[in-house]
Amino acid sequence: MTSTRRTAHLRAALPLAACLSVVAVLYGTNLGGYPEFGNDDEGTYYAQAWAVVTEGRLAHYTYWYDHPPLGWIQLAALLRPAQWLSGGQPALVGGRAVLAMVMVVSAALLYRVARNLGMPRSGASAIIGIWCLSPLVLCYGRQILLDNIALMWLLASLATATGSPRWRRPVLSGVCFGVAILSKETAALAGLGILVALLTSGEGRPRSSGAGRWLAAAGLVVGGWVVCVAIANDILPLLGAIEWQLHGRGGSGSLLDPGSTARRIVASWWSLDPYLLSLGVAAAPLGLARRATRGVALIPVVLALAGSRPGGYLPAMHVITMLPFLALLIGYAVWQGWCAATRLPGRRSAGARVAVAVLAAAAVLAAAPSWVAGTRTALTVDANAPYRQALSFVAASLPRDTVVLTDDDTWNDLVRLGWSGNGWDGAVWHYKLDRDPEAVTELPNGWRDVDYLLAGRAMESLLGTPAISWEQAPEVVSAWRNSSVVASWGPPDSPVVLRRVDPAGSLGCRLRDCPAREPGWTTGETGRR
């Protein structure tokens, strides 16, 4: 390669390198401070990765196929170096450091997809900015969630599918899509969009022969895992887990109902970033109308339809997979508007270009204040100071042979501080006290075998709804009601609380004896009626 070509390649790589550097800073700084450790899923996936690394098993409790395991196996692969880099910070910081690497890779793949669609380097770089600067992405993209890992593989699948039409591209795209499904099963919803992108990308006739290779490759990856499950005689547990995922969860209600869970979740997304969501929704019909972006647009459309189905379950992290594709549709629409303006004759072209530039600038100026504030929050706010204070107190004050009932976020830190991680005689994840059949054998007296209760935001979400608490977690609620506050940290309305359980208390009951709702039950630092 001549020096001239080498210089040209270097200059071409500079925009992407600059963008990825910004992404690394945005998603690798202040991981222990923002967002708050309040999502129990983070602790669960970290604990399962910890079990893979330290114990050679798929979960810290009995693995029951609630999700395919490949997502946290990937997390486990980088957990040790990430833990070393995070030093003495809370355990979840190490997992979030791995996710920062995932976000950098995902940004590079999004850039590649934009370039495959014909966009210039400046436009592809702008799309990375639209996605990664969004406060909504900053909140969810910095968390240890399987959706973020699956998204990386979906972007890899799409980038490969929209590349040059070589015979191996459908195979590589299909393999990446299969890995995405085994990272988080909801990635399957993006399959139609990626397949359409494969068939319609490039010029000329649709590549129908590639569809067969794509389906075969994805099927082999997913089918290989199913064969392994069958060899382990676990088909029935797998089918049971699939049935639970599809029908066993309570519905989130209708988006048209102001009091529904689904409405509250969408409202929380909107409060973080109405601009990416609204502009992305507006650009989706344009994306569907164009051959080049039809597959890209189908991905958020299908995800939105699946999340809004009547009686369905809508998790808060469902939005993660939609966001980069909405950003891509916004950037592509602006670029196409600019290209259309340049093709007009004479003064009409100049006027149209001014109009496109003014509209784009207006959107940037409207979003900039909230995006700057969101960036400042992500890089500077310390939402987890009470969490660290509680851990310091517990580490210095409690014997390591006590049974501490806690959420899965704190479970990881208690194990790191010396409590047993075998499930029952040290740190105990609160969900398992009521739901794991082993609890009856390991803790025969139920909540009375618990010495302390360490409750943060994740456990607060369980205790905050009396009907759910009494129906699904009577042992946890009984431990709470028969305990007294030792110390608390943080704001009075949402503290991290250490409570000592009184095994002689009389306010507990088993599930069969508990009413569906306990009138007057409220939560708070005192846990009183």
Side-chain angles (χ1 to χ4, degrees), residues 9 43 51 106 115 143 159 162-163 213 259 290-291 300 365 373 381 389 398 411 418 455 485 529:
H9 281 294
S106 296
R115 293 288 287 146
Q143 297 184 48
T162 54
R213 294 197 296 272
R290 294 192 63 85
R291 180 174 181 268
L365 290 174
V381 165
Q389 293 163 3
L398 299 190
W411 185 93
V485 175
R529 294 174 66 92

Side-chain angles (χ1 to χ4, degrees), residues 113-298:
V113 173
R115 293 288 287 146
N116 288 348
L117 295 178
M119 295 191 66
R121 294 185 180 91
S122 58
S125 301
I127 288 171
I128 293 178
I130 294 171
W131 179 50
C132 291
L133 290 171
S134 166
L136 187 54
V137 182
L138 280 169
C139 178
Y140 285 102
R142 293 163 64 94
Q143 297 184 48
I144 308 168
L145 298 172
L146 299 182
D147 305 75
N148 287 317
I149 297 174
L151 175 61
M152 175 182 68
W153 288 103
L154 287 178
L155 287 167
S157 179
L158 184 61
T160 310
T162 54
S164 59
R166 299 176 183 174
W167 71 270
R168 63 177 178 272
R169 291 300 176 96
V171 175
L172 293 175
S173 177
V175 168
C176 291
F177 181 67
V179 173
I181 293 176
L182 296 186
S183 299
K184 181 70 180 288
E185 66 280 0
T186 51
L189 295 171
L192 176 61
I194 295 176
L195 185 57
V196 169
L198 173 69
L199 296 176
T200 58
S201 61
E203 301 296 332
R205 300 170 59 186
R207 293 178 287 182
S208 56
S209 61
R213 294 197 296 272
W214 186 87
L215 290 168
L220 283 174
V221 173
V222 177
W225 177 64
V226 175
V227 168
C228 292
V229 172
I231 292 174
N233 292 320
D234 280 347
I235 285 293
L236 288 180
L238 174 61
L239 294 176
I242 293 173
E243 194 278 334
W244 177 81
Q245 289 282 9
L246 294 175
H247 306 293
R249 296 182 171 189
S252 300
S254 170
L255 291 174
L256 301 178
D257 179 6
S260 68
T261 300
R263 183 71 168 265
R264 289 196 298 272
I265 289 173
V266 173
S268 70
W269 297 344
W270 191 267
S271 66
L272 282 169
D273 189 3
Y275 303 102
L276 176 56
L277 293 175
S278 58
L279 293 175
V281 169
L286 299 176
L288 290 172
R290 294 192 63 85
R291 180 174 181 268
T293 53
R294 190 167 299 139
V296 173
L298 275 172

Side-chain angles (χ1 to χ4, degrees), residues 234-411:
D234 280 347
I235 285 293
L236 288 180
L238 174 61
L239 294 176
I242 293 173
E243 194 278 334
W244 177 81
Q245 289 282 9
L246 294 175
H247 306 293
R249 296 182 171 189
S252 300
S254 170
L255 291 174
L256 301 178
D257 179 6
S260 68
T261 300
R263 183 71 168 265
R264 289 196 298 272
I265 289 173
V266 173
S268 70
W269 297 344
W270 191 267
S271 66
L272 282 169
D273 189 3
Y275 303 102
L276 176 56
L277 293 175
S278 58
L279 293 175
V281 169
L286 299 176
L288 290 172
R290 294 192 63 85
R291 180 174 181 268
T293 53
R294 190 167 299 139
V296 173
L298 275 172
I299 295 174
V301 167
V302 172
L303 285 163
L305 292 174
S308 60
R309 70 190 189 280
Y313 173 70
L314 178 65
M317 61 285 297
H318 187 75
V319 74
I320 289 174
T321 309
M322 293 188 269
L323 297 176
F325 304 107
L326 294 179
L328 184 59
L329 292 173
I330 294 169
Y332 192 87
V334 173
W335 175 62
Q336 283 295 302
W338 181 265
C339 292
T342 59
R343 290 193 292 267
L344 294 174
R347 293 181 179 178
R348 292 176 59 193
S349 175
R353 281 180 290 173
V354 169
V356 172
V358 168
L359 289 174
V364 171
L365 290 174
S370 66
W371 285 20
V372 170
T375 300
R376 185 184 301 113
T377 297
L379 298 180
T380 62
V381 165
D382 187 1
N384 294 309
Y387 183 89
R388 293 193 302 274
Q389 293 163 3
L391 288 176
S392 297
F393 180 89
V394 167
S397 306
L398 299 190
R400 298 304 190 264
D401 59 352
T402 52
V403 176
V404 182
L405 186 68
T406 189
D407 56 67
D408 224 11
D409 292 345
T410 316
W411 185 93

Side-chain angles (χ1 to χ4, degrees), residues 398-406 419 424-428 433 443 445-454 479-480 482-486 498-503:
L398 299 190
R400 298 304 190 264
D401 59 352
T402 52
V403 176
V404 182
L405 186 68
T406 189
W419 271 267
W424 304 109
D425 61 355
V428 177
L433 185 60
L443 299 174
N445 298 312
W447 65 268
R448 300 178 192 275
D449 288 329
V450 174
D451 299 307
Y452 291 93
L453 190 151
L454 182 58
W480 182 278
N482 291 280
S483 63
S484 57
V485 175
V486 176
L498 177 67
R499 306 174 68 95
R500 181 184 290 109
V501 178
D502 177 12

